[in-house]
Amino acid sequence: MATTTKTAAKTASKSSSKTGKMEDSEFHEFFVDELKDIYWAEKHLVKALPKMKKAATSPELAAAFEKHTQETEKHVSTLEQVFGLLGEKVAAKKCDAMAGLLEEAESIISDTDSGTMIRDAGLILAAQKVEHYEIATYGTLRVFAQNMGHDEVADLLTQTLENEKATDVALTEIAVSAVNAEAAAE
Ligand code: FE
Ligand code: FE
């Protein structure tokens, strides 16, 4: 009854894919690799955001960087939780995009004078590029997680995604409410 066995195996693999047992698939491997990439990015942001806070003049912007540093620490621990749920070991893999964005933030700081709103406007630009990169990444990764049946992982990635979106909105508000007009007047 080889046919029956084959059908049973097929059904089993189909139902197991629904419950998220896709650990051997290439797509799963790709997903984990991308998680390592954003994990590297978040860990580096934890170090970069305090530097951006220090460079900021507007108290609102400094407070926003301070707040997002704490939130970014949470993003790091959330990813550690995600690796755990997937049964994968926690690992970081260099994210060239984030490395480039952080380099850009550093050159904005060195190209502008301290105590100016032009620097603050530049810091907001750099920070929003980072947030948009994160939004794109988490938006895609949570869909991957949903497709693979990793519902709890998808929920965790969605929480981080929503926080990145809120940060982006908060930065826009700071730019619009004060920094841009003051920078134009300098
Ligand atoms: Fe983040
Ligand atoms: Fe962020």
Side-chain angles (χ1 to χ4, degrees):
M1 297 300 269
T3 320
T4 318
T5 317
K6 225 176 180 179
T7 312
K10 220 176 176 183
T11 312
S13 86
K14 215 178 180 182
S15 73
S16 71
S17 79
K18 268 191 186 152
T19 52
K21 300 280 179 219
M22 293 179 70
E23 282 74 9
D24 297 330
S25 81
E26 265 179 58
F27 193 28
H28 176 87
E29 220 173 281
F30 178 71
F31 176 52
V32 172
D33 245 38
E34 292 303 312
L35 287 167
K36 290 176 184 171
D37 179 282
I38 193 67
Y39 183 63
W40 187 99
E42 295 283 19
K43 282 181 73 124
H44 281 73
L45 280 166
V46 168
K47 289 181 230 157
L49 282 163
K51 288 185 206 162
M52 292 169 82
K53 182 203 161 185
K54 223 176 140 199
T57 300
S58 135
E60 290 86 357
L61 184 56
F65 285 145
E66 162 94 51
K67 182 171 181 255
H68 202 51
T69 303
Q70 286 160 19
E71 290 165 342
T72 301
E73 281 167 5
K74 177 88 184 6
H75 302 168
V76 169
S77 61
T78 298
L79 285 169
E80 287 165 357
Q81 218 182 319
V82 164
F83 285 116
L85 283 167
L86 295 171
E88 298 285 341
K89 70 174 198 322
V90 175
K93 195 178 145 197
K94 189 183 176 190
C95 171
D96 292 325
M98 189 57 72
L101 289 171
L102 294 179
E103 223 175 274
E104 202 176 295
E106 276 174 26
S107 36
I108 284 172
I109 294 171
S110 58
D111 292 349
T112 53
D113 294 324
S114 70
T116 64
M117 286 297 136
I118 295 171
R119 175 182 282 183
D120 275 20
L123 287 168
I124 291 172
L125 174 67
Q128 287 195 292
K129 286 185 183 182
V130 167
E131 294 315 312
H132 281 243
Y133 179 80
E134 291 182 301
I135 290 165
T137 304
Y138 284 108
T140 300
L141 292 183
R142 66 123 174 219
V143 174
F144 284 180
Q146 280 160 357
N147 287 343
M148 291 184 215
H150 297 303
D151 295 339
E152 208 177 331
V153 169
D155 286 347
L156 287 170
L157 297 176
T158 300
Q159 281 171 30
T160 303
L161 173 66
E162 293 309 321
N163 180 254
E164 310 293 16
K165 285 185 186 169
T167 303
D168 181 52
V169 170
L171 288 167
T172 297
E173 274 166 17
I174 294 167
V176 171
S177 67
V179 170
N180 286 356
E182 286 178 50
E186 272 173 357

